[in-house]
Amino acid sequence: MASCLPFHEDESFDQRVKSLADDELLEIWAETQQIDHLLSTQMETEFSLAPEYERAIVAELRLRSCRRLSQSAGT
């Protein structure tokens, strides 16, 4: 049976984010924020669905931004 997942199962999320486009990363981040907000509102508590995903996404976007800035400064 074929898998519909675009990643190898043994690949870490930190590695997976490197292959996603900026808009895909932002979409994943926005969706997890919405789910976190929904769950914490319903449970009336602070709840974080996957803080390591958020950390990995923000780190990757920050790295890409720094690369773009250094490339534009070098031209």
Side-chain angles (χ1 to χ4, degrees):
M1 185 173 172
S3 173
C4 65
L5 299 174
F7 305 116
H8 298 290
E9 288 182 27
D10 59 345
E11 190 175 26
S12 71
F13 187 76
D14 287 343
Q15 289 299 316
R16 293 176 187 186
V17 297
K18 295 179 186 313
S19 65
L20 298 172
D22 290 357
D23 60 333
E24 292 172 313
L25 290 174
L26 290 170
E27 184 177 330
I28 292 169
W29 179 81
E31 288 173 359
T32 57
Q33 293 298 307
Q34 290 173 351
I35 292 169
D36 277 355
H37 178 70
L38 246 165
L39 289 174
S40 63
T41 300
Q42 289 181 354
M43 297 172 71
E44 296 180 1
T45 183
E46 286 299 314
F47 181 80
S48 184
L49 183 62
E52 65 276 0
Y53 289 171
E54 181 176 1
R55 179 204 49 79
I57 291 169
V58 170
E60 181 63 25
L61 289 171
R62 187 175 292 143
L63 176 65
R64 292 177 187 186
S65 177
C66 289
R67 284 182 182 158
R68 281 192 288 269
L69 286 173
S70 69
Q71 288 173 350
S72 65
T75 58

